Amino acid sequence: MMFLSELDVNNAEYSVLESIIFPEAAITNVPYCQAALVLGTDNPNIDRTPEAVKQYKAGNCGKLVMSGGVFWDTEYGRLTEAEYMKSFAVENGVPEKDVVLDNMARTTIENMLCGAIALHRAFRYISEVKDLLLITSLYHMRRSMLIADALMPKKMRVHPCPAYGIIDKTNWKDTESGRKRVTAE
């Protein structure tokens, strides 16, 4: 028996990596959630922010918590990931009052911790958030859900809502960028 921590991701078969990283089935029924936590990345407006806007407009969440403190040069200027996502969401019809910023998180663990603080401040008490959508790229969802399970309040139900973008189960191995992102997970 081998432990996951012993896996040499650089020499593992693609089928093994796929079975670890990608979920078996897509989430089809998104319940109403008080908020969605949207995780930042180098270009979240390719997949993550559009998915968040889609879920908000569909009435599946009441607020969007944009989480990411890394600065990037964007078409809106030099912004944190959270500010970048907010600019896109507001430009695409989400009222500014329904966008909450976490400009501190720099890792997935920090997304959860700082996101929880942002939720607490936005709702006065984090216990008001019974259901939370977690929006991140499909290849990043499994690890993000494991971290959310460990760090978010136990009474909060966290629902995965993967953003389908440029890297998925069918094409990740076709580019160096895709292979790097999957093996980094």
Side-chain angles (χ1 to χ4, degrees):
M1 178 170 86
M2 179 179 13
F3 293 100
L4 188 57
S5 61
E6 297 171 340
L7 179 68
D8 178 2
V9 297
N10 295 314
N11 293 312
E13 292 182 24
Y14 288 158
S15 61
V16 171
L17 294 174
E18 282 177 7
S19 68
I20 294 168
I21 299 300
F22 295 101
E24 289 301 313
I27 306 304
T28 54
N29 294 329
V30 178
Y32 175 77
C33 297
Q34 288 79 21
L37 178 59
V38 189
L39 307 188
T41 187
D42 56 347
N43 194 348
N45 295 345
I46 289 176
D47 57 358
R48 298 175 189 189
T49 317
E51 183 63 31
V53 169
K54 176 180 141 189
Q55 295 301 328
Y56 178 88
K57 287 183 171 182
N60 293 330
C61 58
K63 291 194 181 296
L64 299 178
V65 177
M66 306 306 199
S67 180
V70 177
F71 279 90
W72 298 97
D73 292 321
T74 76
E75 65 269 25
Y76 304 105
R78 187 155 178 80
L79 302 172
T80 64
E81 295 158 321
E83 293 165 336
Y84 185 36
M85 292 187 287
K86 177 184 178 179
S87 296
F88 181 94
V90 169
E91 188 176 276
N92 284 277
V94 177
E96 196 166 338
K97 69 176 181 53
D98 288 336
V99 180
V100 178
L101 292 184
D102 153 32
N103 280 313
M104 295 177 14
R106 300 176 64 84
T107 67
T108 307
I109 290 172
E110 291 176 7
N111 287 134
M112 301 308 160
L113 296 172
C114 299
I117 292 168
L119 285 165
H120 177 73
R121 289 179 177 162
F123 287 88
R124 286 194 66 202
Y125 296 101
I126 196 167
S127 61
E128 296 297 315
V129 181
K130 307 291 185 214
D131 290 278
L132 177 73
L133 279 180
L134 180 58
I135 299 176
T136 190
S137 302
L138 179 65
Y139 68 87
H140 190 240
M141 185 58 73
R142 188 167 304 236
R143 183 167 63 93
S144 299
M145 285 297 294
L146 289 168
I147 294 169
D149 184 56
L151 298 177
M152 290 306 230
K154 295 303 172 205
K155 291 190 176 193
M156 181 187 295
R157 292 177 294 268
V158 180
H159 305 277
C161 184
Y164 293 88
I166 56 174
I167 299 172
D168 64 30
K169 187 174 182 175
T170 64
N171 70 6
W172 71 271
K173 54 193 163 292
D174 298 340
T175 65
E176 183 178 344
S177 167
R179 290 188 299 273
K180 279 185 180 178
R181 289 198 187 247
V182 166
T183 56
E185 289 299 311

